[in-house]
Amino acid sequence: MEFDALTFRENFNRHAFIVRHNLSGDPLFSLPRLIELSKRLPEKYVAYNAGDVSVAEGLYRGPRNGLSIEETIRRIEECRSWMVLKFVETDPEYRELLDGCLDEVGRLSEPLAPGMGKREGFIFISSPRSITPFHIDPEYNFLLQIRGKKRIDIFDPSDRTVLSEEELERFYAANSDEVNIRFKEEYRPRSKAFELSPGEGLHFPVTAPHWVENGDEVSISFSITFETPACERRSIIYTTNERLRRLGLRPSPVGRSALRDAAKFYGFRAFRRARRMIPVGDR
């Protein structure tokens, strides 16, 4: 991993920025090794579908391609598909690689966002011209391009004309990366585009809306992610706001009032602890 320290400090978790890496020739990302990895992973850790979908399709909502996992990887050049191998850190070889990368990230991120945890890795294998639809992710993310080229259109995570407080509340309250957010064509001019080639990577701030379009070749990317206590705190406050809104209230947006955010955070944690002390039959 290679970083410009000043760019990192000024933009981390605020704006997308380019990083560099030397993983493009690593044999762990060859198609035969990825087939082996897909066989070792639990089937629920592999998601794949047709890649010729619209930006607005919704993540994981596309039609299936009619192939097995192994067939999809072997025929990725012509099968017009999109695949992700999730939680590759459960495999020792890929865990070592993930930790090596994130240890280097941590030297610069720790002063800005202390407490790196929940380290996870995802490998994306995509056919030429395939689309990863518009979505958000709850983690700090660096997407490292290993093979092929891709274009990422990414938005300012604080732009509430693209991503509303209500959508963030529903996203966090559902506690699922398969909750989709709505895309409108009018959003396109508000995005910033980055073209990634092998050896380059992109930092994604937490919940920065984005979509991805591959170039004319097979694409392989390695997404290295982590969370911090600040991520958990943010999730709790948004979840609390969602519950308050369902009660007919109008909660203040996250970040608007430090005092209200603190009250929601500690109140939610106290409520959760109290529930754990009550026997299930008495709830």
Side-chain angles (χ1 to χ4, degrees):
M1 300 282 292
E2 298 176 13
F3 308 100
D4 178 86
L6 179 60
T7 298
F8 195 108
R9 286 195 301 271
E10 291 182 345
N11 293 280
F12 178 75
N13 203 38
R14 296 177 60 216
H15 307 289
F17 61 90
I18 294 290
V19 301
R20 302 192 182 277
H21 64 88
N22 63 0
L23 299 180
S24 297
D26 195 305
L28 288 177
F29 297 104
S30 68
L31 290 181
R33 295 291 291 274
L34 294 176
I35 290 173
E36 293 176 12
L37 173 62
S38 72
K39 293 177 179 178
R40 295 195 298 269
L41 291 173
E43 189 171 344
K44 65 181 179 180
Y45 287 0
V46 182
Y48 63 107
N49 51 244
D52 50 350
V53 297
S54 74
V55 170
E57 179 76 30
L59 197 61
Y60 307 122
R61 298 285 180 88
R64 298 302 293 266
N65 62 12
L67 302 174
S68 69
I69 295 171
E70 181 174 346
E71 287 175 320
T72 297
I73 299 176
R74 290 191 186 280
R75 298 174 56 186
I76 196 65
E77 189 163 357
E78 76 271 359
C79 70
R80 301 171 68 87
S81 299
W82 173 89
M83 171 181 284
V84 57
L85 306 180
K86 302 180 181 182
F87 311 121
V88 300
E89 74 281 356
T90 56
D91 186 273
E93 285 186 301
Y94 292 87
R95 176 74 195 194
E96 182 179 0
L97 181 62
L98 176 70
D99 280 339
C101 292
L102 286 179
D103 285 348
E104 295 181 4
V105 172
R107 295 188 186 105
L108 292 175
S109 69
E110 198 65 18
L112 306 172
M116 178 186 284
K118 200 179 179 183
R119 298 181 174 205
E120 294 174 344
F122 306 82
I123 298 176
F124 298 92
I125 311 164
S126 308
S127 298
R129 311 309 304 178
S130 62
I131 299 287
T132 304
F134 185 70
H135 68 285
I136 61 175
D137 300 304
E139 316 95 347
Y140 304 98
N141 181 14
F142 290 84
L143 181 70
L144 310 180
Q145 190 66 14
I146 307 298
R147 173 180 170 180
K149 296 182 179 181
K150 62 177 41 173
R151 168 183 165 132
I152 296 103
D153 281 81
I154 188 167
F155 297 82
D156 180 348
S158 65
D159 186 346
R160 291 294 170 260
T161 62
V162 174
L163 180 64
S164 69
E165 287 291 312
E166 290 87 346
E167 285 178 305
L168 280 166
E169 290 165 10
R170 290 192 294 270
F171 175 80
Y172 279 111
N175 194 28
S176 170
D177 63 359
E178 297 187 20
V179 173
N180 291 292
I181 59 173
R182 182 177 55 181
F183 174 79
K184 296 180 180 179
E185 283 296 326
E186 64 201 56
Y187 294 165
R188 285 183 185 268
R190 306 183 73 87
S191 71
K192 184 174 182 180
F194 291 87
E195 303 275 354
L196 292 188
S197 297
E200 296 178 322
L202 187 69
H203 167 62
F204 294 70
V206 174
T207 63
H210 61 278
W211 78 83
V212 182
E213 182 176 1
N214 289 337
D216 296 326
E217 308 169 29
V218 168
S219 172
I220 298 175
S221 306
F222 184 34
S223 180
I224 60 173
T225 75
F226 65 97
E227 297 186 26
T228 65
C231 294
E232 181 188 13
R233 186 177 190 274
R234 189 171 191 260
S235 174
I236 286 173
I237 298 169
Y238 270 115
T239 299
T240 301
N241 277 358
E242 192 271 345
R243 295 182 179 182
L244 293 173
R245 198 177 297 278
R246 280 196 280 127
L247 292 173
L249 303 175
R250 298 179 62 185
S252 61
V254 174
R256 179 75 58 83
S257 166
L259 183 61
R260 291 180 180 180
D261 284 352
K264 293 168 187 174
F265 175 65
Y266 290 111
F268 183 94
R269 294 211 308 178
F271 173 76
R272 189 166 56 184
R273 282 196 299 269
R275 279 184 60 86
R276 287 173 182 166
M277 296 174 65
I278 300 173
V280 174
D282 294 337
R283 294 180 184 174

